[in-house]
Amino acid sequence: MSEQVWRHFNLCPNGDPEASIADAAMAVRDGAIAWVGAARDLPREFDAWPHHDLGGAWVTPSLVDCHTHLVFGGHRADEFALRLAGASYEEIARRGGGIVSTVRATRAADEASLLAAAAARLEPLIAEGVGAVEIKSGYGLELASERKMLRVARELARRYPVSVYTTFLGAHALPPEFAGRADAYIDEVCERMLPALADEGLVDAVDVFCERIGFTLAQSERVFEAAQRRGLPVKMHAEQLSLMGGTALAARYRALSADHLEFLDEAGVRAMKEAGTVAVLLPGAYYFIRETQLPPIESLRRHGVPIALATDCNPGTSPATSLLSMLNLGCTLFRLTVPEVLQGVTRHAALALGRGERHGELAPGRSADFVAWSVNSLAELAYWIGRPLAARVVRAGETVHTAPVSPWTGRAIDNRAASLERNRK
């Protein structure tokens, strides 16, 4: 039996700075929290357990990245350069670029190469304090390649100290072989791909891109119906580029989340509140594509819709591997407050995965998954850009990443690769 007590830290147990505890303590038995609270109230029964001093650090739950596309082949940096030089999306598409190029690269890649590439994107997230991540498929767009992507996501969970939740996004785009036959492709998604992948245990949730350049409301609903028949929760890429009413449809199916939401209207916000659907905002994509239409932040606040943030890591519109950077972008671009962004990557992000009982909060009975930060104020987590802040990352009571101390400043410095390599599972 493993028993330990962590002491001398300031605790923000659920992402809300107003609920913080100064000079806290946490007793952990076999990876689960046995007790947590103010150190002065620590029961005497834990006195004999080994004690670890966190040196006055701030501690939060491990972060949750609730919307990513971490598994894909190739990259699109060259297209980014072309756009900066003046090429249009249409011109790039005619050259074989865009999502089609990622589909082509993903289909051509074997599982080993996809795993290596995805691991390189996952490692900085873990070193930054992420303890749970959602990974979508959607760049295979045919059964064998979608299976390959989801298998790689499951393998990442086996190799790394992180919880991985898989989402089947077969309805992400229309593959070239189905050009002009979107309904036939939805038949393939609903009648062949989803049943096969669900039967193999590769799917935790189902997503669809409901948009003018994606799939219609009717096609999206067919995907939701297929997920419902399998007992799988749904989520939706909605109202990113236009107002199509996808969020209201998602709410009718009690979707875990609706994501992007730049063009969301008041009716959609009310529907989300009634359904308990989380609003997942993706400031990385907003920034990268130079969007100007802001999500309806005030309406979401007024109706009390939980707001989450995520990296949306993907090769086309958000090549981001830093969730902390999304906190800064959420504050600067969307004018979110520090408490909003902190809860957006802890408690609310866990709700967006349907895993609120597992992640996003530190409480007795839960896994001891937490981060000790090299900051004097929680606001620093949203303030610094690109600065390593996680001094210690703990998974089920075991340290999986530490930042060594600089001999010049005496503060934690970054050493991600070596630490993660030592702690791989």
Side-chain angles (χ1 to χ4, degrees):
M1 179 180 294
S2 172
E3 297 173 337
Q4 56 191 317
V5 174
W6 299 86
R7 301 195 64 155
H8 193 198
F9 61 92
N10 300 303
L11 176 65
C12 180
N14 61 8
D16 181 1
E18 296 299 317
S20 296
I21 302 171
D23 191 18
M26 184 190 311
V28 177
R29 177 189 287 117
D30 293 337
I33 299 172
W35 184 92
V36 64
R40 65 179 178 274
D41 299 324
L42 181 69
R44 296 295 299 273
E45 65 184 281
F46 302 119
D47 286 352
W49 291 15
H51 284 224
H52 304 282
D53 190 322
L54 287 175
W58 271 100
V59 166
T60 70
S62 292
L63 307 185
V64 179
D65 196 351
C66 63
H67 181 132
T68 85
H69 306 254
L70 276 176
V71 179
F72 56 84
H75 62 77
R76 280 149 62 186
D78 292 339
E79 293 178 23
F80 176 64
L82 287 172
R83 288 202 306 275
L84 293 176
S88 69
Y89 283 98
E90 291 76 12
E91 290 170 333
I92 291 171
R94 284 197 299 270
R95 300 183 192 185
I99 193 171
V100 173
S101 66
T102 299
V103 171
R104 186 166 55 246
T106 303
R107 288 180 175 182
D110 60 21
E111 287 190 26
S113 59
L114 287 176
L115 179 65
R121 295 184 276 268
L122 179 62
E123 287 181 0
L125 290 172
I126 297 172
E128 202 175 58
V130 171
V133 61
E134 183 245 27
I135 299 179
K136 302 179 190 292
S137 67
Y139 289 118
L141 305 185
E142 48 93 17
L143 179 56
S145 295
E146 291 288 296
R147 175 186 289 120
K148 179 171 57 177
M149 294 182 69
L150 293 168
R151 282 170 53 88
V152 167
R154 290 286 196 236
E155 185 62 25
L156 288 169
R158 283 188 284 270
R159 295 191 181 209
Y160 283 89
V162 63
S163 296
V164 174
Y165 300 101
T166 57
T167 297
F168 172 58
L169 182 56
H172 189 197
L174 194 62
E177 62 269 25
F178 280 88
R181 299 186 297 128
D183 285 331
Y185 179 63
I186 293 298
D187 288 342
E188 176 75 4
V189 167
C190 296
E191 297 172 13
R192 182 164 178 257
M193 295 166 68
L194 175 56
L197 297 171
D199 286 347
E200 294 169 26
L202 293 174
V203 181
D204 296 321
V206 176
D207 198 348
V208 58
F209 183 37
C210 182
E211 189 53 77
R212 290 175 301 184
I213 62 171
F215 296 95
T216 66
L217 285 171
Q219 291 162 348
S220 299
E221 185 162 21
R222 288 183 57 200
V223 175
F224 283 177
E225 289 170 345
Q228 194 173 63
R229 289 193 294 271
R230 290 278 165 172
L232 293 167
V234 299
K235 48 182 63 180
M236 179 181 277
H237 286 61
E239 330 302 359
Q240 180 185 10
L241 305 173
S242 64
L243 177 60
M244 285 187 56
T247 300
L249 171 64
R252 289 211 310 272
Y253 282 82
R254 302 287 171 179
L256 294 175
S257 71
D259 304 27
H260 286 290
L261 304 179
E262 282 84 345
F263 287 83
L264 178 63
D265 63 0
E266 188 89 3
V269 173
R270 288 196 298 268
M272 292 180 71
K273 174 60 177 178
E274 182 178 344
T277 299
V278 177
V280 177
L281 305 185
L282 304 169
Y286 181 95
Y287 163 82
F288 197 78
I289 68 173
R290 302 180 183 180
E291 181 57 76
T292 57
Q293 174 74 30
L294 285 166
I297 303 297
E298 287 302 325
S299 181
L300 292 168
R301 286 171 173 156
R302 187 168 61 253
H303 290 280
V305 175
I307 297 173
L309 295 177
T311 61
D312 190 19
C313 177
N314 76 80
T317 62
S318 187
T321 58
S322 169
L323 188 56
L324 287 184
S325 294
M326 299 305 108
L327 271 64
N328 182 275
L329 291 179
C331 291
T332 56
L333 297 179
F334 297 161
R335 303 298 189 266
L336 295 173
T337 66
V338 169
E340 284 174 331
V341 296
L342 289 178
Q343 292 177 82
V345 295
T346 52
R347 182 170 58 179
H348 292 168
L351 292 176
L353 295 180
R355 307 287 176 169
E357 81 296 339
R358 172 68 179 81
H359 303 288
E361 185 173 352
L362 295 170
R366 290 180 177 243
S367 181
D369 299 344
F370 62 88
V371 189
W373 301 98
S374 295
V375 298
N376 296 313
S377 163
L378 289 173
E380 291 186 62
L381 299 181
Y383 169 75
W384 294 110
I385 303 174
R387 179 176 177 175
L389 298 175
R392 182 184 298 267
V393 179
V394 176
R395 170 83 170 174
E398 299 295 327
T399 298
V400 299
H401 170 76
T402 56
V405 175
S406 165
W408 295 280
T409 66
R411 296 182 63 85
I413 59 175
D414 190 20
N415 188 18
R416 300 178 182 185
S419 178
L420 285 169
E421 185 68 30
R422 287 195 301 270
N423 291 290
R424 279 189 188 183
K425 290 186 177 179

